[in-house]
């Protein structure tokens, strides 16, 4: 079978915190249109991988390449040099990280308007399309404190997707969801790959990983222990 284009290439990635080696020479490829789930015990390095790819975590050795954007070892680059990467990567954090003083719609349109210079009308239109597709359009005028955990997560997904990233990162996406919502989320994520978008997901939920992922990569002690 012909291999698809690579959306993410990680080579020999090492991350240290003080004297601790969190990641120890990790290699990982994620193809366009593929969903890869990272599994492993707490402390295995799953979230660290996501944060390094999103340029939120410096790394001490190795390389991270996303199409024509690359990250190198050392201190994080200034925000002014991360434009190419930011346009390719969207991330949903475990705690959603919505701005509590902004409505749902304003949370989703914040980056398009202030980082990309979109007009309010264009940003609102794109935001409402994603909110509608994720089943939370009726909550557009609500504030984060008025949302359920599942609603907040879907708003966070819309916020990450409104800029149409090529690579979508999710950290423990099922932590606030009941079983029925987990099934719905798995189906939603599968649809996100239709246009070639790649997903890299950190999860403890093996049933969810099996339902949505093309590959499951298990980390242990900062390294890949198994792929399936």
């Amino acid at each position: 079978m012909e291999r698809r284009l690579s959306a993410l290439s990680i080579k020999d990635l090492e991350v240290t915190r003080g004297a601790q080696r969190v990641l120890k020479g990790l290699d990982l490829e994620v193809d366009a249109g593929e969903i890869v789930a990272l599994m492993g015990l707490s402390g295995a390095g799953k979230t660290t991988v996501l944060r390094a790819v999103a340029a939120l975590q410096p790394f001490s050795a190795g390389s991270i390449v996303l199409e024509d954007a690359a990250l190198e070892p050392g201190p994080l680059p200034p925000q002014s040099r991360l434009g190419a990467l930011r346009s390719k990567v969207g991330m949903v954090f475990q705690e959603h990280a919505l701005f509590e003083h902004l409505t749902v719609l304003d949370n989703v349109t914040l980056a398009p308007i202030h980082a990309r210079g979109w007009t309010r009308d264009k940003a609102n239109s794109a935001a409402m399309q994603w909110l509608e597709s994720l089943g939370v359009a009726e909550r557009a005028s609500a504030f984060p404190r008025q949302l359920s955990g599942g609603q907040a997560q879907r708003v966070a997904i819309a916020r990450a997707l409104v800029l149409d990233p090529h690579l979508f990162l999710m950290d423990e996406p099922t932590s606030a969801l009941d079983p029925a919502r987990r099934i719905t989320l798995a189906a939603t994520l599968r649809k996100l790959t239709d246009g070639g978008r790649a997903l890299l997901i950190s999860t403890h939920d093996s049933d969810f990983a099996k339902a949505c992922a093309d590959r499951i990569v298990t980390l242990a002690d900062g390294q890949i222990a198994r792929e399936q």
Side-chain angles (χ1 to χ4, degrees):
M1 181 181 296
E2 184 178 353
R3 183 174 175 81
R4 291 176 288 187
L5 294 175
S6 175
L8 171 67
S9 178
I10 299 174
K11 300 290 187 185
D12 299 320
L13 185 65
E14 296 190 10
V15 173
T16 58
R17 293 195 188 108
Q20 181 186 12
R21 295 177 68 207
V22 181
L23 297 178
K24 305 173 182 178
L26 185 139
D27 292 337
L28 180 65
E29 297 277 343
V30 182
D31 289 341
E34 183 181 32
I35 300 179
V36 175
L38 293 178
M39 297 196 68
L41 299 176
S42 296
K46 303 184 302 297
T47 298
T48 300
V49 173
L50 299 189
R51 290 179 58 83
V53 172
L56 299 173
Q57 165 72 58
F59 55 97
S60 51
S63 65
I64 298 173
V65 177
L66 301 100
E67 299 175 350
D68 58 349
L71 292 169
E72 297 178 349
L76 292 176
Q79 291 298 317
S80 60
R81 291 175 49 199
L82 289 173
L85 181 130
R86 293 277 183 254
S87 69
K88 292 176 171 59
V89 179
M91 182 167 180
V92 173
F93 300 90
Q94 183 174 357
E95 300 302 324
H96 313 311
L98 298 174
F99 291 103
E100 293 292 334
H101 66 291
L102 297 179
T103 66
V104 163
L105 184 60
D106 287 340
N107 262 282
V108 178
T109 59
L110 187 67
I113 291 172
H114 295 284
R116 292 289 183 84
W118 290 11
T119 65
R120 171 68 65 177
D121 285 347
K122 178 181 177 181
N124 283 352
S125 176
M128 289 304 298
Q129 286 179 23
W130 276 112
L131 292 172
E132 180 69 36
S133 71
L134 292 165
V136 284
E138 76 283 357
R139 307 299 284 155
S141 61
F143 288 89
R145 64 181 176 274
Q146 299 171 312
L147 305 176
S148 69
Q151 289 173 335
Q153 184 204 53
R154 283 177 278 160
V155 171
I157 292 172
R159 183 178 62 176
L161 291 175
V162 71
L163 294 176
D164 195 25
H166 300 179
L167 177 66
F168 188 41
L169 310 174
M170 298 190 77
D171 190 18
E172 298 293 349
T174 62
S175 60
L177 301 183
D178 59 35
R181 286 294 184 189
R182 293 176 187 182
I183 294 171
T184 300
L185 177 61
T188 298
L189 297 183
R190 291 299 324 167
K191 292 179 182 177
L192 295 181
T193 65
D194 289 348
R197 183 182 289 111
L199 280 71
L200 181 60
I201 302 168
S202 163
T203 182
H204 282 92
D205 188 337
S206 59
D207 290 337
F208 171 76
K210 291 174 184 176
C212 74
D214 298 299
R215 278 190 295 137
I216 298 175
V217 176
T218 302
L219 302 186
D221 194 28
Q223 297 176 310
I224 292 177
R226 184 173 70 253
E227 285 195 41
Q228 61 190 82

